[in-house]
């Protein structure tokens, strides 16, 4: 397990899948704002986006646990890992009862530790809706720099919204 101050990132367990699916994926309004694709219902017995999967070169999926009690707090990942350019995107989603407790910044920091120190990446990037102040705050506290805004780039819940891009280089991380 990768450990931060408040959270740990560990491999996904089968027992995590139904909890994450119900609390994160089936929350249509939140999921519609978090993903780049339209929400679609997934029938029981079909594979959840949170399903346990083997290792892959282009994605690293984790379950987030709160260290204080080892309770499942959410999901985190590095995706779009490009081994040639040594870049990746990061994302996270916390269960509703774990939001607003300062866990997001710690998750971002642990993902950076994994990306830069374990995987040897050069750059991490995240994209989020411009009104997602919690994610922007977590990323900037972890050292990310706002690099730009994509105007009306995301369709979410019936409207086009601006998307913000934040980036962090390994050299900036090591100075943090």
């Amino acid at each position: 397990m990768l450990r931060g101050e408040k959270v740990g990132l560990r491999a996904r367990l089968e027992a995590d899948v139904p909890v994450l699916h119900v609390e994160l994926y089936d929350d249509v309004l939140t999921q519609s704002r978090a993903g780049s694709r339209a929400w679609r219902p997934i029938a029981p017995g079909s594979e959840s986006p949170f399903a346990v999967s083997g290792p892959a070169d282009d994605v690293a999926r984790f379950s987030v646990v709160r260290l204080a009690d080892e309770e499942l707090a959410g999901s985190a990942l590095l995706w779009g890992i490009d081994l040639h350019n040594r870049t990746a995107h990061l994302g996270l989603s916390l269960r509703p009862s774990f939001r607003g407790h300062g866990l997001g910044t710690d998750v971002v920091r642990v993902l950076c530790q994994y990306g830069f120190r374990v995987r040897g990446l050069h750059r991490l990037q995240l994209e989020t809706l411009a009104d997602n102040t919690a994610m922007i705050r977590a990323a900037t506290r972890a050292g990310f720099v706002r690099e730009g805004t994509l105007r009306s780039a995301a369709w979410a819940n019936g409207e086009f919204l601006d998307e913000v891009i934040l980036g962090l280089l390994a050299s900036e991380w090591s100075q943090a």
Side-chain angles (χ1 to χ4, degrees):
M1 179 185 312
L2 300 169
R3 294 179 180 274
E5 293 178 12
K6 298 179 180 183
V7 300
L9 302 185
R10 63 160 167 76
R12 177 88 24 92
L13 304 176
E14 288 292 343
D16 298 344
V17 176
V19 175
L20 295 173
H21 189 92
V22 167
E23 291 195 34
L24 300 179
Y25 187 80
D26 284 347
D27 178 353
V28 178
L29 293 178
T30 301
Q31 181 61 34
S32 295
R33 292 174 48 81
S36 61
R37 297 181 182 174
W39 181 89
R40 295 175 189 209
I42 296 176
S46 298
E47 187 167 297
S48 168
F50 297 102
V52 175
S53 61
D57 286 338
D58 64 338
V59 65
R61 292 179 181 87
F62 300 96
S63 284
V64 178
V65 294
R66 183 171 52 196
L67 292 175
D69 55 11
E70 297 292 320
E71 192 168 349
L72 177 65
S75 176
L77 76 158
L78 289 185
W79 59 276
I81 299 171
D82 177 339
L83 297 176
H84 176 72
N85 292 305
R86 295 174 47 203
T87 63
H89 303 260
L90 67 86
L92 68 101
S93 187
L94 296 174
R95 295 170 57 198
S97 62
F98 291 88
R99 296 175 190 155
H101 300 285
L103 302 180
T105 300
D106 203 34
V107 172
V108 172
R109 288 182 177 140
V110 178
L111 283 171
C112 290
Q113 174 189 340
Y114 176 75
F116 294 136
R117 294 195 178 135
V118 176
R119 297 295 295 265
L121 298 175
H122 169 69
R123 173 187 165 79
L124 294 175
Q125 175 175 315
L126 67 89
E127 304 82 13
T128 190
L129 297 178
D131 65 354
N132 187 349
T133 55
M135 186 66 212
I136 294 168
R137 188 177 326 113
T140 55
R141 285 180 179 164
F144 279 77
V145 175
R146 189 175 181 145
E147 296 180 335
T149 301
L150 301 173
R151 298 175 304 135
S152 293
W155 177 255
N157 300 321
E159 63 181 323
F160 283 104
L161 300 170
D162 291 350
E163 199 170 57
V164 175
I165 298 173
L166 297 106
L168 180 64
L169 303 178
S171 59
E172 297 164 338
W173 171 253
S174 61
Q175 295 171 8

